[in-house]
Structure formats: structure tokens, C-alpha cells
Amino acid sequence: MNRIVGLDVGGTNTKILLCMPEGCSVYVTESHNYKEIEARIDSASPETVVLTGGRASGLYSRLQDRYPCEVVSEMTAMCKGAEYLAGGRHRDMILVSVGTGTAFYYISADGYRRIGGSGVGGGTIRGLGRMLTGVSDYHRLQVMMELGNRERADYTSSDIYGNTFSHILPPNVIVSNFGKLATETAASTEDIASAICGIVTETVANIACQAAKRFQVKPIYYCGGIFRSAVAKREIRRYTELGKERAFFFEGIEEFVGAIGAVVYFYGDRVKSDLQLLTPIK
């Protein structure tokens, strides 16, 4: 197997895929942490470095004199990665990439299309987290989300309507994000973190369901570091199902779809067998 490094350089984090004869491994580090990124690359002694992501050009300029480098467009890398990881399970799909913001793609036999985007994403969680809880570190926010109860900050349908519309809306559907905070103060920082996660996942899932209906495609695949959180995954699945669609995830490797796709784009069948252990879907 060739020694290859795949990098997905995002606004906040860089996802690193090392492909070496002894196997493949993945890492995440902050995008401005050039020392760690370069140390990971050097450890692989790569024949090629393949980059994608919004800030790929900046890292490319640092690496091009040391290693052969190739840059793949973010759309191509994300869609190629999802297509490969789906393994033929679905030919047509909506792909939702939740990074700092969120991008929506339509993948079909005819190719890839970017069909929309939203400024709501992982950056929203960190930004609102810092403003409303004093915490911006995603790992800490993730723990807080899982400990909190968003219904102490958000109004549910049962809070507003009781059982009047129970035949239309389930009682725990959120009808007003942060609505309770206008008059109540019982919500903890953990509850607020959970509500922040909720407003992001609802927004993303609702747009994704609209896209699926527009293109008459059933499967919606979600990827991005936000889905390290069990709460985020649960909420996006719940709202996707409320939209009468079905959510799929690349379990355990949600962050690395772009890095994998960039490598597959350039090396195809020469690396696919080595990536098989990185491809669970749920």
C-alpha cells in the first residue's frame, strides 16, 4: 500500500487520515495547530498528501515544498467519501455535512450537486455555547448536552397546547426554542447546552428533509464532528423521522468522510480495501 495522508482542513478542526502499510488511523486536531498536523504527516513519511476543506489552500502552501500535494474540492471529497462509505447501499442520497456551518449535497448516478447551505452548524454550538454558558470547548459542551434537559429551556407542544393537537404533533416536539427562558430561570447551563444542540439539529434536519422531498430521495446521510454527541445524533434522527425520512450515519468516522473521499478520489481501488475497517454505517 502507498503511504498517503488525507487532510480535511476545516474552519476549526483538521481531520487527518494516515494510510500506511501497517494500517489506517485517524486523528482530529485544531486547524491552527500546525505543529501537530505536520508531526502527524512526518510520522507517515507519505508519498503524497491529499488535502480538502475550506482552509486546504493555506496548509497546502506550508506543505508543498516538503511533500507532493494534491487538493480536492470540498464537494468532490465529501460526496466521493460518502459514496464510497455507503458501499452501494444507496445509489441516490442527500448528504448533509455539518462542519462550522452546514452544506447539503445531492448525490446521484449523474454526479454531485451542492443544493444548499446553512450558517447553522458546529460553529453555532460553540459560539452560542460560549455566549450562553461560558463554555466553547466542544468536548465540554458535549458532556453538558448529555447531562441537560432542553425542555427546561424550550417550549414543547404539550406546554403550549396540552393534548389539543396530540393527533398532529407529538407532545415532546419543540415549538419554541429557548421560549421558557423569557419568563423562567430554572434552566441550568447543561439544559441550555442541550437546547443549543436542539436548535442546530432541528434546523439541519428540517432543511435535509425538504431537500429529500424536493429530489425525491429517501436516504439522508449525515456526517461531521457534531455527531460524536449521542444527543446530537438522537435529535437529528428524531427530527428526520418526524419529517418522514430516514437518517444514516457513518458510525465512529463521521468526521473523516472528506479526508477519506479525497484519498479515494486520487487513489481509488488501490486504497479502498485498506479503508474497509473504517466504514461502519448505521
Side-chain angles (χ1 to χ4, degrees), residues 11 27 31 51 74 100 129 132:
Y27 306 89
S31 287
L51 304 98
E74 187 170 15
T100 307
L132 299 179

Side-chain angles (χ1 to χ4, degrees), residues 94 96 98 102 104 120 198-213 220 222 227 232-245 247:
I94 300 296
V96 183
V98 187
T102 302
F104 300 85
V120 173
I199 197 171
V200 170
T201 51
E202 286 169 36
T203 301
V204 168
N206 286 336
I207 297 172
C209 288
Q210 292 170 24
K213 289 175 174 57
I220 301 174
Y222 292 95
F227 299 115
K233 192 171 291 183
R234 183 192 70 213
E235 289 297 280
I236 208 117
R237 191 188 300 277
R238 181 163 76 103
Y239 277 87
T240 302
E241 290 173 354
L242 280 170
K244 309 300 182 185
E245 305 296 344

